[in-house]
Amino acid sequence: MAALKDLADVRNIGIMAHIDAGKTTTTERILFYTGRSYKIGEVHDGTAVMDWMEQEQDRGITITSAATTCFWKNNKINIIDTPGHVDFTVEVERSLRVLDGAIAVFCAVGGVEPQSETVWRQADRYKIPRIAFVNKMDRIGANYDRCVKMIRDRLGANPVPVQLPAGKEAEFKGVIDLIEEKMLLFDEQSLGQEVTKVDIPSEYIEEFTAARMMLLEKLADFDEEIMEKYLDDTSVSAPEIYSALRKATLALKVVPVLCGSAFKNKGVQPLLDSVIEYLPSPLDVKDVEGEGSDGEVVSRKTDPAEKMAALVFKLQSDSFVENLAFVRIYSGTLKIGSKVYNPVKNKQEKISKIMKLHANKREEVQEIAAGDIGALVGLKFTTTGDTLCEKGDNIILESMDFPEPVIGIAIEPKSKAEEKKLSDTLEKIALEDPSFTVKIDGDTGQTIISGMGELHLEIIVDRLLNDFKVSANVGKPQVAYKETIERSTTAEGKFDQLTGAKGQYGHVVIEIEPMERGGGIEFTSEVDKEVIPAEFLESIKKGVIDTLDGGPLVGYPVTDIRVRLVGGSYHEEESTGMAFGIAGAMAIRRATSEARPMLLEPIMSLEVTTPEEYVGDVIADVNGKRGKIVGVSAEGNLQILKAQVPLSEMFGYSTSLRSATQGRANFTMQFLKYDVVPAQKAEKIIKKIRGI
């Protein structure tokens, strides 16, 4: 078993960034320099170890979070390489939930891009210490200072450069270490494995001196000893700087910034040193807290000898070993053959195998202990976000929130024989991916699969047809509309029926009113128990909520509505929960029909980066899609255009943007909110759905 002191040498980190900033390339170099890989894999060749799925290799992007373990200078680093595309935000969310620290990779040309902001906010929410790596310093247009400024301005962070680039673009040759006061050069013959420390050349001395003074000035705000030495003009040693930087980073006060070019094998070893130097070990993270059986707050120490508590943060279907459950052990030790308890599902589970992962390769181990990440085989009831603990020691760790899907497509098997295979496979994928849902349309009987965007669904369909070999026909993407109401109204529902010897009686009066966007559904009771006994309230609520799954316009879920139970009556002998459930359903159906129902559509936040000469065309195109421009700003010779556009207008946008800008513009899009569809447009949509 790992001794407690060994935990100080463990790092659980994620690598996060905007798509195409170089996350996977950076991870590949880390694996190479730590001896985990014997040759460097490249994303563009489809040989990257961490992009092991066929769909990732075809597209050159990361889709699923891949986990691996490597060792650097007697320290163990568990790494999760997360996706950068907005459609796979859920992968980043669940990885950050269980990580202690992160490397944020930024492109030296693009700087802070939209998805960088999204993942940064996610890391803020989980209070994760970060270091920043400004990658692609060898590219034309690379600008280190601009990137540092964007981290400060756009992300509201406090970036502290600990390195300077020696040259830039084609002239980039190494990095200048502000703490050790040396220049680091990376030997190209050995693919950057040999790092040479040399004195800083005279042409960089002035820039270096100013940057080191700035570093000490920033650290003086967080460390009294450095403050005194800085004011007395006394020299500050490297260990003192490391110690102060570590404290400030762990306290989320600063973000150390490094630079390099992962593709050109420059700057990765100092990045690994910084992971050990500044990011937390499991012992630096506060004790994990959860909810006990009586709702009280329970905490567990990061100690292999503690009671066991673990969080399952991801499930993955695997053709070799049924389902793999990725798990972070927060306290205690988990051994093969042990029986554990899932307090969320109230079920006991047996651990048949424990594995350490390296992308899609795996090695079996006998146990994993506090502070570690691994994968379990043999869990039958556990799903993403569930806690595992010892029987009798009920603790439920904080789970994760997942976004609702905004786009759906119809899918059907090509033959009757394929029907079961399709439903089983969809069930498997839905277990793996909480942002993917499957439902049967009550009116048409069609199976509708829904996800976070076109690419998300494209990947899932690709896996269905090619990995799982399911023969299916796929429809066109459909928007996930919702319904709401415009005004308040009151309605009653009465169910009074004689069935056999015993009657059924339930009578309710409800009031409904619209809520602000994003309000969801709220149900409250304002009746005395003399009017309707308390035991029937749950049945009424269930009847109401279940009915709101299909609205009066075209059967989309109703949202942003407040329902109040304000009256009714009951019969001492003949009232039942079922009768009150039906009465609640009747009342809400009547009320929503009379409250001027409206259609809601998903609105996307769109960001287009385009050369200046195409701005007019891009704006005209967005306006033609019912879009609303919210801002235009200049970044060098490029224009960044921000807009809010209905998702229904955005299918195939990449093609129209390419043709409008000769392929020189790019865009990112993510879900922002639901909003009301204009009346004329709503009428067309409703007629189309009803087949009128």
Side-chain angles (χ1 to χ4, degrees), residues 230-350:
Y230 177 72
L231 294 173
D232 294 344
D233 214 7
T234 316
S235 70
V236 183
S237 70
E240 286 174 309
I241 296 176
Y242 285 130
S243 170
L245 254 177
R246 179 176 182 79
K247 272 188 217 147
T249 305
L250 296 187
L252 304 176
K253 298 273 177 52
V254 301
V255 177
V257 186
L258 297 91
C259 61
S261 167
F263 183 56
K264 291 287 172 72
N265 310 311
K266 291 180 170 70
V268 177
Q269 293 97 321
L271 179 64
L272 277 164
D273 290 339
S274 296
V275 166
I276 308 306
E277 207 65 66
Y278 309 126
L279 292 183
S281 76
L283 295 177
D284 295 313
V285 180
K286 75 182 183 88
D287 295 347
V288 70
E289 290 184 343
E291 192 179 292
S293 47
D294 299 328
E296 77 282 14
V297 175
V298 183
S299 69
R300 292 279 174 274
K301 283 190 173 63
T302 307
D303 186 342
E306 252 276 27
K307 290 176 179 171
M308 200 278 295
L311 184 76
V312 173
F313 65 96
K314 176 177 174 169
L315 295 184
Q316 185 177 303
S317 296
D318 192 288
S319 43
F320 304 109
V321 290
E322 317 150 33
N323 269 351
L324 273 178
F326 287 62
V327 65
R328 162 76 193 257
I329 311 292
Y330 282 99
S331 63
T333 304
L334 192 58
K335 299 182 179 179
I336 281 188
S338 58
K339 287 183 178 167
V340 294
Y341 180 62
N342 178 337
V344 180
K345 301 284 191 298
N346 196 15
K347 297 277 188 185
Q348 189 164 291
E349 298 268 25
K350 187 169 181 189

Side-chain angles (χ1 to χ4, degrees), residues 30 98 150-151 193 215 254 259 297 411 450 488 559 562 586 591 596 598 602 616 686 688:
I30 287 173
V98 296
M150 287 177 84
I151 293 171
Q193 282 189 95
L215 167 65
V254 301
C259 61
V297 175
I411 188 163
S450 303
S488 305
T559 188
R562 184 176 285 113
M586 290 163 71
R596 288 205 200 120
M598 303 185 294
I686 292 164
K688 189 179 173 190

Side-chain angles (χ1 to χ4, degrees), residues 49-94:
V49 174
M50 300 300 270
D51 284 353
W52 54 271
M53 285 170 71
E54 194 180 310
Q55 291 82 358
E56 296 178 310
Q57 291 166 359
D58 289 349
R59 291 168 178 81
I61 63 168
T62 303
I63 290 164
T64 181
S65 304
T68 190
T69 302
C70 58
F71 293 85
W72 181 250
K73 297 182 178 175
N74 298 321
N75 291 270
K76 175 172 157 184
I77 308 176
N78 293 318
I79 302 175
I80 295 184
D81 174 27
T82 63
H85 195 286
V86 66
D87 282 13
F88 308 103
T89 289
V90 68
E91 283 287 337
V92 185
E93 182 81 22
R94 57 186 173 185

Side-chain angles (χ1 to χ4, degrees), residues 146-185:
R146 173 176 162 266
C147 203
V148 171
K149 184 177 184 300
M150 287 177 84
I151 293 171
R152 184 169 52 251
D153 297 346
R154 278 204 178 187
L155 303 177
N158 186 11
V160 177
V162 293
Q163 289 179 347
L164 291 177
K168 64 176 182 179
E169 299 180 351
E171 303 298 310
F172 178 66
K173 55 178 182 270
V175 299
I176 294 166
D177 188 326
L178 299 180
I179 302 173
E180 299 283 350
E181 305 184 59
K182 291 284 181 189
M183 180 155 102
L184 307 182
L185 298 172

Side-chain angles (χ1 to χ4, degrees), residues 60 64 113 182 186 195 326 328 334 336 455 487 498 575 600 653 666 669 671:
T64 181
E113 295 167 284
K182 291 284 181 189
F186 304 85
V195 184
F326 287 62
R328 162 76 193 257
L334 192 58
I336 281 188
L455 181 63
R487 66 175 190 187
L498 287 169
S575 282
L600 295 174
Y653 182 62
N666 57 54
M669 183 171 75
F671 172 71

